[in-house]
Amino acid sequence: MPETLAPAYYTALGRGWRRDVWAILHPPYTAWHLAYVVIGAGLAPKVSGYRLLATLIAFFLAVGIAAHALDELNGRPLRTAIPGWVLKGAALVGLAGAVGLGFAGLPVVGIGLLPFIALGVLFVFAYNLELLGGRMHGDFWFALSWGAFPLLTAYLAQAGTISLGAVAAAAGAFALSFGQRSLSTPARTLRRKALSVTGTVTLSDGSSVTLDEATLLKPLEQALSAFSWGVVAFAVGLIASRLL
């Protein structure tokens, strides 16, 4: 099965630098998690477009580039041909850029941003390289680091503090990200590790449904696709109502 299925629903089989770069960026998931940044900013009492743009760039560099490059370096799950030194360089440049933007924001946001910068670096390395024996590479830590964390950071970047409303919204982002990983984990297993799928489901009317990889993947990946663009649409609507 690994020879006939692409490693993710949003990429293709085969080789080529365009395919590899697209796969590394994980466009639906990167957009999904950047949407939490937009939502966090949109919930703040006052919204600065400049601060929002800086926060989006920082998270794109940290998650879209650095974290995903390290993830590919750790076992080549997307089967890219990108050289290891390129992945390491992308991770270093991406994370350095994100941290640099964070430090540039300290005089504006306040010292409260500093622990968020440190946590961001920890999440990128510990989750994607499965450090600490993989203890931080699981559903809980994924939901915390790529769901709740960007929303809270974006709110802090706007307001300089964290409100109870922001914490409640972050809990919602945590829940959505937890659900995302609950769907994506079996989908990744089917696409990247399963050798074969066989079986049937017998229904109450006596008919049967044959189980194969396509049957099992379809509901998982339809939900992932719908949720990714749905959260993005919600974020766009929220920020548009605040800025326009």
Side-chain angles (χ1 to χ4, degrees):
M1 190 179 301
E3 292 77 19
T4 59
L5 287 177
Y9 76 87
Y10 44 82
T11 189
L13 285 169
R15 290 289 186 268
W17 70 268
R18 290 185 182 87
R19 176 265 178 202
D20 287 355
V21 170
W22 180 266
I24 283 288
L25 290 176
H26 297 269
Y29 295 156
T30 298
W32 187 339
H33 296 295
L34 290 180
Y36 293 138
V37 172
V38 176
I39 292 169
L43 293 173
K46 294 183 179 180
V47 181
S48 164
Y50 293 109
R51 294 192 190 190
L52 172 57
L53 180 61
T55 311
L56 279 170
I57 293 173
F59 271 93
F60 175 75
L61 291 172
V63 177
I65 295 179
H68 290 155
L70 290 175
D71 190 57
E72 181 65 5
L73 195 63
N74 187 28
R76 298 282 176 168
L78 295 173
R79 308 176 207 145
T80 70
I82 299 174
W85 67 269
V86 174
L87 292 173
K88 292 177 183 177
L92 180 62
V93 170
L95 195 57
V99 171
L101 283 169
F103 277 107
L106 281 174
V108 179
V109 178
I111 196 67
L113 185 60
L114 191 59
F116 282 77
I117 297 172
L119 277 174
V121 174
L122 173 65
F123 288 149
V124 167
F125 282 110
Y127 181 84
N128 291 281
L129 292 180
E130 300 185 37
L131 303 181
L132 305 175
R135 291 182 181 87
M136 292 182 68
H137 191 87
D139 295 352
F140 174 87
W141 289 104
F142 176 85
L144 179 65
S145 56
W146 307 134
F149 179 70
L151 191 149
L152 285 175
T153 304
Y155 186 94
L156 178 72
Q158 296 289 332
T161 186
I162 298 295
S163 70
L164 287 177
V167 172
F174 178 97
L176 285 169
S177 295
F178 196 95
Q180 174 190 349
R181 188 169 160 85
S182 297
L183 292 168
S184 65
T185 297
R188 289 196 310 272
T189 299
L190 284 167
R191 284 186 172 275
R192 302 175 188 179
K193 297 180 180 179
L195 293 177
S196 65
V197 174
T198 57
T200 58
V201 177
T202 302
L203 304 179
S204 59
D205 62 1
S207 62
S208 62
V209 177
T210 301
L211 295 181
D212 56 21
E213 62 270 21
T215 302
L216 296 177
L217 281 170
K218 184 177 180 179
L220 299 173
E221 295 180 342
Q222 277 188 338
L224 287 167
S225 179
F227 288 147
S228 66
W229 299 116
V231 174
V232 169
F234 178 83
V236 170
L238 174 62
I239 203 65
S241 70
R242 296 298 311 277
L243 293 178
L244 301 180

